Amino acid sequence: MASEEASLRALESLMTEFFHDCTTNERKREIEELLNNFAQQIGAWRFCLYFLSSTRNDYVMMYSLTVFENLINKMWLGVPSQDKMEIRSCLPKLLLAHHKTLPYFIRNKLCKVIVDIGRQDWPMFYHDFFTNILQLIQSPVTTPLGLIMLKTTSEELACPREDLSVARKEELRKLLLDQVQTVLGLLTGDLLSNLLQSPSSAKLLNQPIPILDAESEYICSLALECLAHLFSWIPLSASITPSLLTTIFHFARFGCDIRARKMASVNGSSQNCVLGQERGRLGVLAMSCINELMSKNCVPMEFEEYLLRMFQQTFYLLQKITKDNNAHTVKSRLEELDERSEVLQELRLLLMCSQEQERRSVELRGAWKQKGGNGMKGCLSCSYIEKFTDFLRLFVSVHLRRIESYSQFPVVEFLTLLFKYTFHQPTHEGYFSCLDIWTLFLDYLTSKIKSRLGDKEAVLNRYEDALVLLLTEVLNRIQFRYNQAQLEELDDETLDDDQQTEWQRYLRQSLEVVAKVMELLPTHAFSTLFPVLQDNLDVYLGLQQFIVTSGSGHRLNITAENDCRRLHCSLRDLSSLLQAVGRLAEYFIGDVFAARFSDALTVVERLVKVTLYGSQIKLYNIETAVPSVLKPDLIDVHAQSLAALQAYSHWLAQYCSEAHRQNTQQFVTLISTTMDAVTPLISTKVQDKLLLSACHLLVSLATTVRPVFLISIPAVQKVFNRITDASAQRLVDKAQVLVCRALSNILLLPWPNLPENEQQWPVRSINHTSLISALSRDYRNLKPNAVASQRKMPLDDTKVIIHQTLSVLEDIVENISGESTKSRQICYHSLQESVQVSLALFPAFIHQSDVTDEMLSFFLTLFRGLRVQMGVPFTEQIIQTFLNMFTREQLAESILHEGSTGCRVVEKFLKILQVVVQEPGQVFKPFLPSIIALCMEQVYPIIAERPSPDVKAELFELLFRTLHHNWRFFFKSTVLASVQRGIAEEQMENEPQFSAIMQAFGQSFLQPDIHLFKQNLFYLETLNTKQKLYHKKIFRTTMLFQFVNVLLQVLVHKSHDLLQEEIGIAIYNMASVDFDGFFAAFLPEFLTSCDGVDANQKNVLGRNFKMDRDLPSFTQNVHRLVNDLRYYRLCNDSLPPGTVKL
């Protein structure tokens, strides 16, 4: 090696060149290889020690520390003990000498390297490791450094990575737990409390917050970070004392200390502002500590008193946060806030001080919405509010059930403060989070009432006022009338991951709260909501007087800008309130139908009236002064009124059964009027949003309500005529499918409350045949020969006919599949000709994967819903046709050359076969050999080696279904064998096919696709649970330990780490079949075959695997074996060549 000085200069030059913009990637690779080779040399660490003490180049220092890190974590076992002693001595000295001048990221990296040494050597060879850290904290000059070392130690030693043996991990955790009491006492007693300069910790919360200098605030922030990490893993025990909690809560006050923040901002200088921000940060860190304690669900009995103390102190904080002008109601205060203009101010502050301060400073950013007056907005940092909201969520979800019974905790007053906190949130996300908390509380209250029905009234009376106030305010919040400024900020265009806009999410979460209050207080909720709905309905129904006739049609004669804005707000509110009314429909049915009948009837009558009104005067086609705003509003109100009415279809169904007994004209009028409102909207001239709402309502009337007289209503006859008229323009695909489903269901579904002989099946069957005949007219005229040879019409036109017809027919079959036998018989009778045409057309389109895909979807739906009605001969003909068409060449073409569509075709074919193999009885058993041969000889060879998951999941599901539903095809179970179980083995048949299937499952565990791995492991476990797969002689003697070996190797290679638990359980279930063989034969053989470990290490691994036979202990032993095997390999790989291992 060159001299240290020359090496340093060369390294600095290389590092500068590596990070220079002009350096090419090829040159960077050369430099990287050179640096890696240098790091691998024995004794390279000595040069790095010199580099660290002699350079100011950040890149060189970071590289040198990386060399040390690699040496300690991967090569430490092979480092001579003298060198280890020197490194343990030199690095801490280096840190102590330069920690004030090193850049913070270099200092932190050096701390991490020293902690890594402690992770390996403490306490045996590095006995003063932890003592040194405590001494650093106790010395005022090095307190920050000691705290950084402590936090790093907690991070690296409490939950270490897999480069340690399990025994060492357990030892480190025990060593750390022994130090916890000392550390907590040092942090909170000697450090934080002293910095607060408080003579009496018991009165901390009532005293003014002390002013801390920058150094003290920095130390406090480091100490709180340490506590937060310690609380993430230490148990709730006597170590966590009342004085510790009180101290932390005192720091939590820093986040809501409005007075100090205002003083910092008023005093003007950027340094004062930064100090104010640092104080807020202390509050955030303190709340992080509290939340770590709160997140622990398993609370010892002796700790519940501390919990109560925590919540009382939180109650104080919540009072402080929500402290406001008490002379105003919440409503008027919110109106004042909404009327004031909002100014979004982003403060970008960078404290540029001495190098010492720069080491600790970061760029501080904050954004607040400044509001006039008091209140939470504009006063608290968003991060503090987020932490406090997290606390409230944990309190309500985890601990409320514990605390509510304590008379010392004022739950109702807490809800009052939570209410103020919720409706003062500065951001929409904050408001959403608070609504989630209310949802948790309402769920808790609902489950409590259900479990204690005798106390229902007492519980509700306690919370009634709070719930009514919540309901009123949430309803106000979704209305533009009260909350226009905030609602207009919401995005109603961009879809999130759940396919909803910000506005839709806001409305949905609000309505969930309304619905949950309705469940608890139905009368109050209805009396609060309905008058508000009525007010907006009056505005909407009054629009008719402003409609005038113009040359081009009808026009809404409202033109003044202010009137248009008010109308826009009223229509938006009406749309939201209609959704609210629809959401509450479920609380009027079932056992409460009679009790709440009057309220529900009032709602439904109003909804029927408003839908008919919109359809009759055609508000969706009216010209307006602001068409881009008002026209969408009018369409949305009309669509929402239809959707709300649809939500009451179950109530109408219950009313239908009541009306059947009473023969009431009122119900007939409701349905007839509804159809009068729906029918005009089923037109190509109506906007899709409105059209689809009408179609969905029609489907609900036909499917859920099913009134006997529906088919005889003139409006319904009109829809029948329109759909079956060949000359009428076809609706958009989705609407056409829905209307056809509704008309089919009117004819096929049995009428409720009528005996079989009054169902009029013969007439309905004739009508259904006519309907299907009209819908499939063009499709049935397609001839296979014409398609195959010279076509009378272009291929694209043929595809359109196939798509349009099959989408409708498939939907009709799918929706009838779970109905009565008679309904399915009539359905298949109508479809029979179309099905035969489909089978005849199929071979002609075998090379058109898009058409084949649709045809197979149709056949799959037929097999699932109507296979009994199709009859055995025709079903056999279909299966045989498919088996003949899907040759190996055709399968290869579909999978390999036709992309995703081709793969979908094969997947649908395999799904059809899944239905076939699940069929009970002997009818389709003759197809089993052909199906297994198709899977194992044709499909599997094509997909086995492909990395793509396409087709694999469906193939293995088919193989699983074949085994699961046809077990006797492989294992003939005789009466004698079942009586003498354990003496006589089941007779094995079709052994080669069974072995091939099992081998395919085994091969799938060697592939990277985690979803396929999880699915197939589940299938094997299911077969074992249901059929005792692992106990079968063929599996036990030839496959069992092969599977165990594969699963163990998967764990060792960490290729499917997310499934560790499932794999461990599967290994246990396999091993439990023959524990003696596992411990005596398999385990020694497995260890013998393991490379990368020596004989002594193998013996240790074998000894450490205890012969436990219960599931938890066994799986723990498996994971210990895997961890230690990986650790030994890592150690051995890091040893220098020629090392003698004893």
Side-chain angles (χ1 to χ4, degrees):
M1 283 190 181
S3 71
E4 291 175 337
E5 179 65 27
S7 295
L8 176 57
R9 297 293 159 256
L11 182 57
E12 288 176 341
S13 173
L14 281 172
M15 284 298 188
T16 304
E17 182 185 358
F18 185 87
F19 288 102
H20 196 278
D21 293 341
C22 299
T23 307
T24 64
N25 288 336
E26 188 177 347
R27 175 59 181 155
K28 285 186 177 183
R29 280 193 293 273
E30 290 174 4
I31 295 172
E32 194 173 0
E33 188 177 347
L34 189 63
L35 295 175
N36 286 338
N37 290 339
F38 178 84
Q40 295 302 319
Q41 295 178 102
I42 297 172
W45 66 268
R46 292 189 183 278
F47 281 81
C48 291
L49 198 59
Y50 172 77
F51 299 159
L52 285 170
S53 58
S54 306
T55 187
R56 297 273 66 85
N57 186 307
D58 293 351
Y59 298 135
V60 171
M61 284 192 279
M62 190 57 84
Y63 168 75
S64 303
L65 288 172
T66 305
V67 172
F68 271 110
E69 191 174 42
N70 188 62
L71 176 79
I72 293 160
N73 290 329
K74 296 183 178 178
M75 304 162 68
W76 198 241
L77 200 65
V79 176
S81 57
Q82 193 63 37
D83 289 0
K84 289 183 184 178
M85 286 176 60
E86 192 174 343
I87 293 169
R88 285 195 296 264
S89 171
C90 292
L91 288 182
K93 288 178 182 175
L94 187 71
L95 177 64
L96 211 53
H98 298 290
H99 72 95
K100 290 189 175 181
T101 56
L102 287 172
Y104 73 92
F105 55 90
I106 299 293
R107 177 206 61 205
N108 291 353
K109 182 80 167 178
L110 181 51
C111 289
K112 159 80 166 53
V113 168
I114 294 169
V115 169
D116 283 343
I117 298 174
R119 200 161 60 99
Q120 301 281 355
D121 291 356
W122 177 56
M124 184 67 74
F125 303 108
Y126 196 177
H127 59 88
D128 55 354
F129 165 69
F130 207 85
T131 312
N132 289 346
I133 294 174
L134 297 179
Q135 288 172 353
L136 287 174
I137 295 172
Q138 289 168 313
S139 171
V141 182
T142 57
T143 298
L145 181 62
L147 291 170
I148 292 166
M149 286 288 291
L150 178 62
K151 185 184 175 211
T152 308
T153 301
S154 177
E155 291 169 345
E156 297 297 323
L157 272 62
C159 304
R161 297 182 302 276
E162 283 201 351
D163 51 358
L164 291 178
S165 67
V166 170
R168 177 60 177 161
K169 289 179 184 179
E170 291 169 353
E171 181 188 19
L172 283 174
R173 195 171 185 85
K174 185 176 182 304
L175 288 166
L176 282 177
L177 283 171
D178 291 343
Q179 301 290 337
V180 163
Q181 199 153 359
T182 305
V183 168
L184 292 180
L186 183 60
L187 290 179
T188 55
D190 299 347
L191 201 59
L192 293 175
S193 294
N194 288 343
L195 287 170
L196 289 172
Q197 299 171 341
S198 171
S200 170
S201 63
K203 297 180 181 178
L204 273 173
L205 288 181
N206 300 323
Q207 296 174 351
I209 295 178
I211 303 298
L212 302 177
D213 58 36
E215 182 72 24
S216 298
E217 291 204 354
Y218 179 58
I219 290 171
C220 289
S221 68
L222 289 173
L224 289 169
E225 284 178 7
C226 284
L227 282 173
H229 196 274
L230 288 167
F231 289 162
S232 70
W233 60 268
I234 65 174
L236 296 175
S237 63
S239 306
I240 299 173
T241 61
S243 61
L244 182 152
L245 294 177
T246 308
T247 302
I248 294 171
F249 269 97
H250 188 92
F251 279 100
R253 286 178 62 200
F254 279 62
C256 54
D257 183 23
I258 296 165
R259 178 184 55 81
R261 285 168 175 275
K262 285 185 175 176
M263 286 177 63
S265 60
V266 168
N267 289 340
S269 74
S270 63
Q271 186 161 350
N272 279 337
C273 273
V274 170
L275 289 175
Q277 287 309 302
E278 283 295 330
R279 290 168 68 79
R281 184 166 179 269
L282 291 180
V284 173
L285 292 170
M287 287 307 302
S288 296
C289 294
I290 294 165
N291 287 349
E292 283 293 349
L293 293 174
M294 290 290 300
S295 63
K296 299 179 190 298
N297 196 359
C298 186
V299 178
M301 282 294 291
E302 63 271 14
F303 198 77
E304 289 202 0
E305 186 182 343
Y306 288 159
L307 276 179
L308 179 61
R309 189 189 301 269
M310 287 172 69
F311 296 136
Q312 288 169 333
Q313 291 170 328
T314 309
F315 191 82
Y316 172 85
L317 289 178
L318 194 52
Q319 285 177 314
K320 194 169 177 62
I321 290 173
T322 56
K323 187 178 181 183
D324 210 325
N325 187 349
N326 294 321
H328 291 77
T329 63
V330 173
K331 178 179 173 183
S332 64
R333 181 165 63 251
L334 284 171
E335 285 173 347
E336 286 176 19
L337 290 170
D338 284 337
E339 285 164 8
R340 294 193 178 97
S341 62
E342 297 188 358
V343 180
L344 183 64
Q345 194 174 48
E346 186 172 323
L347 305 176
R348 301 182 183 280
L349 303 170
L350 183 61
L351 181 61
M352 302 301 293
C353 301
S354 64
Q355 191 173 16
E356 164 65 15
Q357 287 172 314
E358 184 183 359
R359 173 176 61 83
R360 299 195 300 258
S361 297
V362 294
E363 185 173 2
L364 298 172
R365 295 183 178 88
W368 301 273
K369 291 178 179 174
Q370 297 289 350
K371 300 277 189 180
N374 297 325
M376 214 166 65
K377 298 186 178 184
C379 302
L380 302 177
S381 73
C382 286
S383 53
Y384 184 79
I385 295 172
E386 286 170 11
K387 291 290 182 186
F388 203 89
T389 303
D390 288 343
F391 170 86
L392 293 172
R393 182 186 295 107
L394 289 166
F395 168 55
V396 172
S397 62
V398 180
H399 301 290
L400 181 62
R401 57 189 166 81
R402 293 188 177 97
I403 298 302
E404 191 195 13
S405 57
Y406 284 88
S407 58
Q408 304 99 306
F409 187 77
V411 179
V412 176
E413 289 82 353
F414 166 77
L415 292 177
T416 305
L417 294 176
L418 176 59
F419 177 90
K420 293 171 85 175
Y421 181 83
T422 300
F423 296 106
H424 277 67
Q425 285 297 314
T427 64
H428 296 307
E429 285 299 325
Y431 180 62
F432 291 154
S433 298
C434 288
L435 287 185
D436 285 341
I437 295 171
W438 282 106
T439 302
L440 290 168
F441 171 72
L442 293 168
D443 287 340
Y444 161 74
L445 209 54
T446 304
S447 62
K448 179 179 178 178
I449 288 170
K450 286 178 180 175
S451 64
R452 291 164 50 184
L453 287 175
D455 299 337
K456 179 178 179 179
E457 291 305 316
V459 173
L460 284 177
N461 288 338
R462 185 181 186 190
Y463 295 114
E464 182 178 309
D465 291 344
L467 296 182
V468 171
L469 192 62
L470 172 69
L471 173 69
T472 306
E473 197 58 48
V474 169
L475 282 175
N476 287 347
R477 278 300 182 109
I478 64 172
Q479 294 179 70
F480 281 77
R481 178 179 178 181
Y482 300 107
N483 195 26
Q484 183 175 352
Q486 281 196 317
L487 294 180
E488 284 183 341
E489 291 177 5
L490 294 168
D491 176 13
D492 198 19
E493 294 181 0
T494 311
L495 295 175
D496 62 13
D497 293 340
D498 297 322
Q499 295 302 299
Q500 58 183 1
T501 64
E502 189 180 29
W503 160 253
Q504 289 168 340
R505 180 186 171 200
Y506 182 94
L507 189 60
R508 181 183 57 78
Q509 288 197 238
S510 300
L511 295 185
E512 283 307 304
V513 173
V514 171
K516 288 180 185 297
V517 176
M518 174 78 180
E519 187 176 0
L520 292 165
L521 300 171
T523 308
H524 285 86
F526 184 76
S527 60
T528 303
L529 174 61
F530 192 72
V532 185
L533 173 69
Q534 187 62 49
D535 289 346
N536 285 280
L537 277 176
D538 290 343
V539 173
Y540 180 63
L541 295 170
L543 290 178
Q544 189 166 8
Q545 62 187 306
F546 296 102
I547 296 173
V548 295
T549 305
S550 63
S552 57
H554 297 290
R555 183 168 56 82
L556 188 64
N557 194 23
I558 297 176
T559 55
E561 183 180 343
N562 198 40
D563 291 342
C564 288
R565 184 179 292 112
R566 285 170 56 202
L567 178 58
H568 165 66
C569 291
S570 179
L571 291 172
R572 289 292 300 269
D573 288 348
L574 178 55
S575 177
S576 301
L577 293 166
L578 285 167
Q579 291 181 62
V581 167
R583 177 63 185 84
L584 303 183
E586 65 181 281
Y587 301 113
F588 293 103
I589 58 175
D591 296 339
V592 297
F593 176 80
R596 299 181 192 165
F597 176 80
S598 177
D599 287 342
L601 182 62
T602 305
V603 171
V604 172
E605 285 179 337
R606 296 300 286 168
L607 291 175
V608 170
K609 179 180 177 182
V610 78
T611 52
L612 181 64
Y613 164 82
S615 297
Q616 282 179 338
I617 66 173
K618 299 185 177 179
L619 281 174
Y620 51 88
N621 275 339
I622 279 180
E623 294 179 18
T624 64
V626 195
S628 62
V629 176
L630 292 180
K631 191 162 185 176
D633 288 343
L634 290 166
I635 291 169
D636 191 49
V637 166
H638 201 164
Q640 294 299 348
S641 65
L642 291 162
L645 188 51
Q646 184 198 353
Y648 283 83
S649 56
H650 288 282
W651 181 86
L652 285 168
Q654 198 164 350
Y655 189 14
C656 179
S657 61
E658 301 287 330
H660 174 73
R661 285 193 287 271
Q662 299 169 14
N663 194 23
T664 174
Q665 182 58 36
Q666 190 177 37
F667 176 73
V668 177
T669 305
L670 276 179
I671 300 298
S672 301
T673 312
T674 302
M675 283 310 307
D676 289 338
V678 168
T679 305
L681 301 176
I682 298 176
S683 163
T684 52
K685 296 175 183 177
V686 175
Q687 295 86 352
D688 285 359
K689 182 175 187 177
L690 199 47
L691 169 62
L692 290 172
S693 289
C695 293
H696 280 294
L697 176 53
L698 179 60
V699 168
S700 291
L701 290 173
T703 309
T704 306
V705 186
R706 305 188 195 181
V708 177
F709 56 86
L710 190 59
I711 194 170
S712 59
I713 296 174
V716 177
Q717 294 286 343
K718 191 175 176 182
V719 178
F720 265 101
N721 294 336
R722 192 210 179 286
I723 289 297
T724 55
D725 183 0
S727 62
Q729 191 176 354
R730 195 177 192 274
L731 300 172
V732 294
D733 278 0
K734 194 169 183 182
Q736 183 82 10
V737 166
L738 288 170
V739 174
C740 293
R741 181 198 305 174
L743 298 179
S744 173
N745 285 354
I746 289 172
L747 296 168
L748 289 180
L749 297 182
W751 293 321
N753 308 307
L754 278 181
E756 190 71 13
N757 59 356
E758 294 180 27
Q759 292 287 344
Q760 301 177 24
W761 289 126
V763 177
R764 294 168 76 180
S765 178
I766 292 168
N767 289 335
H768 194 266
T769 302
S770 302
L771 173 67
I772 299 299
S773 177
L775 294 175
S776 61
R777 187 184 301 111
D778 293 339
Y779 182 69
R780 287 180 291 106
N781 288 334
L782 294 175
K783 299 289 185 253
N785 296 336
V787 171
S789 57
Q790 55 190 47
R791 298 181 176 87
K792 292 182 180 179
M793 65 174 75
L795 178 61
D796 287 346
D797 292 349
T798 306
K799 286 185 176 182
V800 168
I801 291 172
I802 293 172
H803 165 73
Q804 290 180 345
T805 308
L806 290 185
S807 60
V808 168
L809 299 184
E810 182 184 336
D811 183 79
I812 287 172
V813 174
E814 192 171 339
N815 279 276
I816 208 71
S817 59
E819 296 298 331
S820 66
T821 303
K822 189 66 181 177
S823 298
R824 284 182 288 161
Q825 283 174 348
I826 294 172
C827 184
Y828 182 66
H829 180 264
S830 305
L831 285 168
Q832 196 164 1
E833 187 180 348
S834 297
V835 175
Q836 289 169 343
V837 168
S838 300
L839 188 61
L841 287 174
F842 185 78
F845 284 97
I846 190 67
H847 298 293
Q848 302 286 332
S849 57
D850 52 344
V851 178
T852 315
D853 185 26
E854 294 197 79
M855 286 189 167
L856 285 174
S857 287
F858 176 53
F859 277 109
L860 176 58
T861 308
L862 282 171
F863 269 79
R864 284 174 172 167
L866 301 177
R867 63 184 176 278
V868 175
Q869 286 69 35
M870 286 194 295
V872 174
F874 186 55
T875 309
E876 288 180 340
Q877 184 186 343
I878 295 172
I879 298 168
Q880 197 58 58
T881 301
F882 288 165
L883 289 172
N884 292 341
M885 294 308 301
F886 282 103
T887 60
R888 180 158 189 170
E889 292 73 22
Q890 180 57 44
L891 288 165
E893 179 187 335
S894 296
I895 295 171
L896 302 176
H897 304 302
E898 292 181 2
S900 58
T901 311
C903 288
R904 275 204 311 274
V905 166
V906 178
E907 287 171 352
K908 297 263 175 68
F909 173 47
L910 295 176
K911 283 180 179 177
I912 290 172
L913 296 180
Q914 288 170 20
V915 177
V916 171
V917 299
Q918 290 179 74
E919 187 67 19
Q922 298 299 312
V923 175
F924 298 127
K925 300 305 178 195
F927 285 108
L928 282 177
S930 302
I931 291 173
I932 295 171
L934 175 93
C935 291
M936 302 312 302
E937 296 169 19
Q938 298 186 43
V939 181
Y940 182 69
I942 298 171
I943 65 167
E945 300 304 321
R946 292 185 80 225
S948 168
D950 293 335
V951 182
K952 290 180 182 176
E954 299 301 340
L955 174 67
F956 280 103
E957 183 174 352
L958 173 55
L959 293 174
F960 164 68
R961 302 281 173 206
T962 303
L963 290 167
H964 186 37
H965 295 276
N966 301 278
W967 196 248
R968 294 188 63 187
F969 181 75
F970 302 99
F971 298 95
K972 287 286 185 187
S973 181
T974 62
V975 176
L976 179 64
S978 57
V979 170
Q980 300 177 323
R981 192 170 295 280
I983 302 171
E985 275 288 346
E986 288 179 334
Q987 183 183 345
M988 179 83 195
E989 293 191 357
N990 301 299
E991 185 176 329
Q993 290 93 325
F994 179 82
S995 297
I997 292 172
M998 286 295 108
Q999 187 176 359
F1001 271 94
Q1003 288 293 324
S1004 73
F1005 295 138
L1006 301 174
Q1007 296 179 356
D1009 184 353
I1010 193 167
H1011 299 292
L1012 185 68
F1013 189 106
K1014 183 177 183 179
Q1015 170 192 287
N1016 287 358
L1017 193 63
F1018 170 75
Y1019 288 160
L1020 286 186
E1021 290 284 273
T1022 303
L1023 288 172
N1024 184 53
T1025 304
K1026 304 284 187 185
Q1027 314 285 5
K1028 298 293 182 188
L1029 168 67
Y1030 305 157
H1031 297 259
K1032 300 303 176 190
K1033 183 179 180 182
I1034 183 173
F1035 192 94
R1036 197 174 65 244
T1037 56
T1038 64
M1039 305 175 191
L1040 181 68
F1041 290 133
Q1042 288 182 28
F1043 274 97
V1044 175
N1045 185 51
V1046 167
L1047 294 177
L1048 273 175
Q1049 294 293 353
V1050 167
L1051 287 176
V1052 170
H1053 290 103
K1054 296 185 74 173
S1055 55
H1056 297 77
D1057 247 13
L1058 290 174
L1059 301 176
Q1060 275 187 27
E1061 186 177 345
E1062 292 91 335
I1063 294 171
I1065 293 171
I1067 291 173
Y1068 171 80
N1069 288 333
M1070 291 179 186
S1072 63
V1073 173
D1074 184 10
F1075 270 132
D1076 293 337
F1078 177 84
F1079 289 119
F1082 171 77
L1083 193 57
E1085 189 180 320
F1086 173 79
L1087 292 171
T1088 302
S1089 67
C1090 286
D1091 53 2
V1093 284
D1094 60 36
N1096 179 56
Q1097 290 166 336
K1098 290 175 182 178
N1099 289 335
V1100 172
L1101 291 170
R1103 283 200 305 273
N1104 286 343
F1105 201 110
K1106 310 298 182 197
M1107 296 179 72
D1108 300 310
R1109 302 195 175 200
D1110 61 287
L1111 174 62
S1113 302
F1114 183 89
T1115 51
Q1116 189 176 2
N1117 286 328
V1118 167
H1119 294 304
R1120 182 187 190 114
L1121 168 72
V1122 168
N1123 181 93
D1124 290 358
L1125 177 57
R1126 290 176 54 79
Y1127 167 67
Y1128 287 144
R1129 282 178 173 172
L1130 185 70
C1131 291
N1132 295 341
D1133 288 345
S1134 66
L1135 290 171
T1139 303
V1140 177
K1141 290 174 277 189
L1142 300 175

